[in-house]
Amino acid sequence: MDISCTNCEQIYPPDGLPYRCPTCGGLYDFRNPLPFDPTQVDRSQPGIWRYRHTFGLFPDFEPVSLGEGSTPLLWAEVFGRKIAFKCEFLNPSGSFKDRGSVVIAAWLQSRDISEAVEDSSGNAGASFAAYAARAGIKARVFVPESTSGPKRRQIEAYGAELVSIPGARTAVAEVVRAVADGGTAYASHAYLPFNLPGYATAAYEIFEQLGNKMPGAVVLPVGQGGLLLGLARGFDSLRIASNLRNNTLKIIGVQARACAPLWATFKAGNAVIGSIAEDRTLAEGVRVRYPLRRDTVLRVVAASHGSICVADENEILPGRDALARLGFYVEPTSAIVWSALAQTIQNLPDPVVVVLTGSGYKYG
Ligand SMILES: [Zn+2]
């Protein structure tokens, strides 16, 4: 499974863990669709490890696991429709990030890397800290000062060193890049592509949980867009493997209006890039001013005839409460899907799947 620079096409090196191309600074990505093959799905394995053949890891390598994946898909009636909720907040560290972090940790282990840094608004950091603890990797996690208390405590409890950076999320990324450029491995969930096949496993699970059917629409929060890309690739590979010619899956991403670069670009094109705000929002997990794979994410959304929408700040907590009344206790970042549903449900074909990304325990 080839990984190469998306700019100069240099192949990912066999040693070390460069987070971007050392020659041109470009992003690494997989060259080809994920090699999902139903005959290679190993049902004796738990969770995401049933789909290990899509991860690009050495076959004889034994990765750590905390039981990630196999999350429930639960139905509820909302806005007059039956909607399926994929409960990703039930993953081991409380967010979907675990599907990706465990694969990143495996790459680190397989290259004998014993120390790494990561930056995060909280969930990816907590998730990485969990798998680093499990794998015996020394982790240092950089977070913005605004990261909520439970996420900070979770990162520290796993034994990672927490470094709090004043200012916006963008400032954190700059600091950690400087550390990484000094030689420490950067286990970045935003730069590295290794986590995308991990996120794609949620697509395989949804397909199976719908009775081997594609969803009509998937609604999810978007920050960097990693989950969106992973899911889209997972569904694409399923379509190829199942010989499904029609692509009717609509992808609906939602951002907080306080920081909505994907929405702004989707609506108005590249002209808006210089004027994107990065204001405070309860949806801290999607506060990403410069999504690294922005163009790829927007291309995928447009090709699906989907859209990117925004939630206003005053809609977030009511959305959280509405989901909790259905029994789903999620954090504010996840709750922006409620506003997205209200805006788009009329135009979404069944079955509609909403991804609930992070636990309500993360907030407070
Ligand atoms: Zn390059």
Side-chain angles (χ1 to χ4, degrees):
M1 193 155 26
D2 287 342
I3 294 171
S4 61
C5 171
T6 52
N7 185 44
C8 76
E9 302 195 353
Q10 196 173 129
I11 299 285
Y12 198 76
D15 302 300
L17 199 89
Y19 70 96
R20 58 181 172 186
C21 175
T23 306
C24 76
L27 279 177
Y28 285 113
D29 204 348
F30 293 89
R31 274 176 191 265
N32 302 308
L34 297 170
F36 176 80
D37 174 356
T39 65
Q40 285 195 57
V41 175
D42 182 354
R43 297 195 183 278
S44 70
Q45 294 298 311
I48 74 167
W49 297 100
R50 290 181 289 165
Y51 314 105
R52 177 181 172 143
H53 70 280
T54 62
F55 295 168
L57 298 171
F58 291 116
D60 55 352
F61 175 73
E62 195 57 51
V64 296
S65 170
L66 288 166
E68 50 291 328
S70 287
T71 56
L73 185 76
L74 301 173
W75 293 83
E77 194 170 328
V78 295
F79 302 109
R81 295 268 294 276
K82 287 264 187 210
I83 306 287
F85 291 88
K86 182 67 172 161
C87 297
E88 287 298 285
F89 61 98
L90 296 177
N91 272 298
S93 82
S95 84
F96 76 95
K97 299 281 187 188
D98 293 344
R99 290 181 192 269
S101 301
V102 70
V103 183
I104 290 178
W107 276 82
L108 289 168
Q109 282 185 290
S110 69
R111 292 179 175 226
D112 291 323
I113 291 165
S114 57
E115 186 176 351
V117 293
E118 161 72 309
D119 64 319
S120 165
S121 62
N123 279 337
S127 178
F128 179 66
Y131 288 96
R134 186 80 171 165
I137 295 165
K138 188 165 174 261
R140 201 169 0 144
V141 179
F142 294 74
V143 298
E145 235 172 19
S146 58
T147 293
S148 67
K151 290 178 187 172
R152 308 166 83 88
R153 288 192 287 278
Q154 189 181 8
I155 290 167
E156 288 186 309
Y158 286 130
E161 182 189 343
L162 182 82
V163 187
S164 201
I165 304 292
R169 176 74 182 79
T170 312
V172 183
E174 278 163 23
V175 171
V176 79
R177 273 200 307 271
V179 174
D181 290 339
T184 311
Y186 180 15
S188 175
H189 65 286
Y191 279 95
L192 295 171
F194 308 138
N195 49 351
L196 300 177
Y199 298 152
T201 61
Y204 314 141
E205 290 179 14
I206 289 167
F207 181 80
E208 291 169 16
Q209 287 167 318
L210 291 174
N212 292 335
K213 259 178 69 180
M214 296 290 281
V218 175
V219 182
L220 74 161
V222 228
Q224 286 284 357
L227 178 60
L228 187 150
L229 280 184
L231 282 171
R233 290 179 185 185
F235 286 121
D236 267 344
S237 295
L238 277 165
R239 221 172 358 245
I240 295 167
S242 316
N243 250 326
L244 298 170
R245 281 199 206 105
N246 289 346
N247 175 8
T248 51
L249 169 66
K250 281 190 181 195
I251 299 176
I252 310 293
V254 53
Q255 304 206 283
R257 193 182 291 275
C259 181
L262 293 167
W263 170 74
T265 320
F266 188 81
K267 299 270 287 187
N270 285 340
V272 300
I273 287 169
S275 57
I276 299 296
E278 189 180 358
D279 294 331
R280 277 190 171 238
T281 168
L282 287 169
E284 60 182 6
V286 290
R287 189 181 174 209
V288 179
R289 191 177 192 177
Y290 302 112
L292 295 173
R293 298 183 198 273
R294 185 198 64 198
D295 294 348
T296 315
V297 170
L298 291 177
R299 217 166 30 240
V300 164
V301 171
S304 82
H305 304 288
S307 64
I308 304 280
C309 45
V310 279
D312 284 317
E313 209 56 25
N314 62 10
E315 296 177 290
I316 297 178
L317 289 179
R320 191 270 311 260
D321 293 344
L323 286 162
R325 296 295 196 280
L326 300 171
F328 306 130
Y329 188 50
V330 299
E331 64 172 319
T333 301
S334 311
I336 61 177
V337 294
W338 193 259
S339 167
L341 264 183
Q343 295 172 52
T344 58
I345 187 79
Q346 299 295 341
N347 302 316
L348 302 182
D350 283 324
V352 176
V353 175
V354 175
V355 187
L356 298 176
T357 47
S359 168
Y361 302 144
K362 301 270 197 174
Y363 171 68

